[in-house]
Amino acid sequence: MAIMATSKAQRAVNTFNTVRNTSSDAFKSVVPYATISNISEISTVLFNDDYTAQYNEFVGNLVNRIFKTVISTRSFNNPLAILKKGNYALGVDIQDIYTNPTEGHDYEMSESAMAEILKIYKGDTKTAYYRRNRRRKFPITIAREELQAAFISWEDFGKFIDSQITAVYNGNYIEEFQWTKQLVDYAYEQNYANVVTLASDITDKESAENFLVDVRATYLNFLLPSTQYNAYQKMNPDDTKAVNTWSQEGGIVLIITNQALSQINVKALASAFNLELADFMGRVISVDKFANPNIKAVLADESFFQIWDNIFRMDQFYNASTMSWNYFLHVWNTFAISPFANVTIFATNDTVAMQSMSFANTSVDVTMGTPKDVTLTITPSNATTEVTFTSSNTDIATVTSSASNTVKITPVAEGTCTVTAESENGKTAEITVNVVSA
């Protein structure tokens, strides 16, 4: 009876034959070429103790050739992987060099000008170093028992391969995705990026249109020589000479949160970049969120992200006690930001909700003719919630806010009134004011 090949089964057969083709002649002489109907014959050979050498060779080639190749290919599904610069296999540090445009000089016909022909004109060259900072390993165990169970059918063999690859791939994929986003958070926290403060979160048509205006203006500014949009002087405050740089149209990317992107007319956003919609979508990358919720988007030259692959390799160890192979995918990278590249982060103001507030005393005496400041204790101390102060009787005393947590009480006439502090999120505190004669 003929066995019908499914697409999954055929892929598994092709995978096995790829491993076989990379194996030794000794392996090929014992293990037959795979067909859709001879998995039992192959299993009988591979899991026969007389052919342990062939089994070990098969597992080694399966992991080192197939797993590593597929994992490496799949890693490019990381939406932020386009920001990688390539491989840097030698050394720990990467050197980045930028030379400022040469300054022009006025033409002059004089003896002193003639002498300048022998003068040395050194360029204003800046250097940055990026150190390898990510060294990770992702372990995977191939147990003889599990592999033998997978050889019941080519579909089961294919499922086994896919599950092992996916586990390793997902681990590295998620980490690289998070590390790339963290570069934006780091630049924001360290003030290593130009920041455009949004008036409000991007939650409706109006705020989306305002964001488009900001992005469009920033994008156009990136294309012109400027010292404003790179972080060189912020990273090197002792250097008085700023870096004058600009971006190329095809080298600018927009990384934006899904929530913000969902509010924006994508065609209008593409128009802001002078691009057709299809071309623009290759320059925009949507992410779930940044660690700092205030960050909504980042517009950057691709060279701002200095992400380099250093090591991507498999190492192995056989555990005779469990009849299993332990494989370790080692992934070493460099994740850094360039001080020479344009970048602007679009973020809302830091907002910290007030939890409670109180006056130090229940009452205060204020002498006629002498205004008095009274301080309000706010928790947490860095709360940004707005506070308003009111007087229960302005004929006795008036109030003005002299700071976010301080009220100036001005006496009007002798008597008693109550000053109330109320936050925009509903917290209140009161103090009794006794206005007394001088």
Side-chain angles (χ1 to χ4, degrees):
M1 179 179 175
I3 299 176
M4 298 299 293
T6 66
S7 58
K8 291 183 179 179
Q10 190 58 56
R11 283 201 303 269
V13 169
N14 295 341
T15 297
F16 181 89
N17 285 331
T18 300
V19 174
R20 184 180 183 277
N21 291 339
T22 61
S23 299
S24 65
D25 290 338
F27 181 93
K28 294 175 184 176
S29 67
V30 174
V31 181
Y33 187 83
T35 67
I36 200 66
S37 59
N38 70 343
I39 190 170
S40 296
E41 181 183 352
I42 293 173
S43 177
T44 300
V45 174
L46 279 181
F47 298 101
N48 187 320
D49 290 341
D50 291 336
Y51 299 108
T52 300
Q54 282 74 16
Y55 168 79
N56 291 339
E57 184 177 356
F58 170 73
V59 176
N61 285 342
L62 178 67
V63 173
N64 287 319
R65 305 286 178 86
I66 304 301
F67 278 28
K68 185 179 175 231
T69 299
V70 175
I71 292 168
S72 180
T73 302
R74 285 192 180 184
S75 68
F76 289 100
N77 291 335
N78 175 354
L80 297 174
I82 66 170
L83 301 175
K84 285 188 174 185
K85 300 300 176 285
N87 294 304
Y88 192 85
L90 301 177
V92 176
D93 294 329
I94 298 172
Q95 185 182 51
D96 192 4
I97 298 174
Y98 181 83
T99 300
N100 263 327
T102 303
E103 295 182 3
H105 296 259
D106 290 333
Y107 173 80
E108 180 183 348
M109 182 58 128
S110 65
E111 290 185 3
S112 59
M114 292 291 289
E116 289 185 356
I117 195 173
L118 300 177
K119 187 177 178 180
I120 297 175
Y121 298 93
K122 290 185 176 181
D124 181 22
T125 300
K126 319 288 188 182
T127 304
Y129 293 92
Y130 313 126
R131 172 150 291 190
R132 183 174 60 208
N133 53 2
R134 180 177 183 255
R135 297 189 296 178
R136 302 289 287 168
K137 64 180 180 182
F138 299 87
I140 182 173
T141 298
I142 304 295
R144 180 187 178 96
E145 212 173 79
E146 293 177 345
L147 186 57
Q148 186 171 2
F151 265 86
I152 295 174
S153 69
W154 286 120
E155 286 89 347
D156 287 335
F157 175 69
K159 288 178 183 178
F160 175 79
I161 300 301
D162 285 344
S163 67
Q164 300 298 314
I165 291 174
T166 300
V168 177
Y169 154 70
N170 281 343
N172 184 54
Y173 163 81
I174 292 170
E175 283 197 6
E176 287 194 348
F177 183 68
Q178 298 296 342
W179 274 65
T180 306
K181 291 194 300 177
Q182 286 169 12
L183 292 177
V184 178
D185 282 288
Y186 173 75
Y188 183 69
E189 292 166 2
Q190 299 297 318
N191 193 30
Y192 288 160
N194 180 57
V195 176
V196 170
T197 302
L198 303 176
S200 64
D201 199 353
I202 308 170
T203 56
D204 53 29
K205 182 178 180 181
E206 181 181 359
S207 58
E209 289 177 349
N210 290 336
F211 171 75
L212 282 176
V213 172
D214 290 334
V215 170
R216 171 69 172 167
T218 304
Y219 170 79
L220 293 174
N221 287 334
F222 273 17
L223 303 179
L224 302 174
S226 174
T227 62
Q228 178 181 348
Y229 298 99
N230 64 74
Y232 179 77
Q233 284 199 297
K234 293 179 179 180
M235 294 183 180
N236 302 273
D238 295 333
D239 191 341
T240 58
K241 291 186 177 181
V243 163
N244 190 10
T245 189
W246 60 95
S247 301
Q248 302 297 321
E249 284 190 0
I252 300 174
V253 295
L254 176 69
I255 305 174
I256 184 169
T257 63
N258 291 325
Q259 187 278 329
L261 186 60
S262 68
Q263 300 296 324
I264 294 171
N265 183 320
V266 179
K267 289 185 177 179
L269 187 57
S271 177
F273 283 76
N274 290 331
L275 293 172
E276 295 295 330
L277 181 60
D279 295 328
F280 167 72
M281 293 310 293
R283 312 306 306 167
V284 61
I285 306 170
S286 60
V287 298
D288 53 344
K289 63 181 179 179
F290 294 97
N292 189 320
N294 294 318
I295 300 175
K296 307 304 174 183
V298 56
L299 188 70
D301 195 305
E302 281 187 353
S303 61
F304 174 74
F305 297 92
Q306 291 294 316
I307 305 172
W308 296 83
D309 290 327
N310 303 129
I311 292 177
F312 190 93
R313 59 168 292 171
M314 280 279 193
D315 281 321
Q316 64 189 42
F317 173 79
Y318 181 70
N319 186 339
S321 176
T322 59
M323 295 186 297
S324 62
W325 287 94
N326 277 347
Y327 287 86
F328 299 88
L329 174 66
H330 292 273
V331 184
W332 292 13
N333 316 88
T334 299
F335 282 79
I337 56 176
S338 170
F340 310 131
N342 286 335
V343 60
T344 293
I345 294 174
F346 300 86
T348 55
N349 279 323
D350 290 332
T351 56
V352 180
M354 181 186 301
Q355 298 175 5
S356 64
M357 59 181 179
S358 63
F359 290 104
N361 301 298
T362 57
S363 64
V364 61
D365 292 339
V366 181
T367 303
M368 285 293 297
T370 307
K372 190 167 189 176
D373 286 340
V374 177
T375 300
L376 186 69
T377 300
I378 293 174
T379 304
S381 59
N382 64 334
T384 57
T385 309
E386 186 176 343
V387 178
T388 57
F389 297 93
T390 57
S391 170
S392 63
N393 190 342
T394 55
D395 292 332
I396 300 295
T398 60
V399 294
T400 54
S401 178
S402 58
S404 60
N405 63 335
T406 303
V407 57
K408 181 184 290 293
I409 302 174
T410 301
V412 177
E414 294 182 25
T416 300
C417 66
T418 300
V419 170
T420 301
E422 183 174 3
S423 69
E424 58 184 342
N425 64 340
K427 308 298 181 182
T428 60
E430 293 182 346
I431 187 170
T432 300
V433 176
N434 302 309
V435 178
V436 298
S437 61

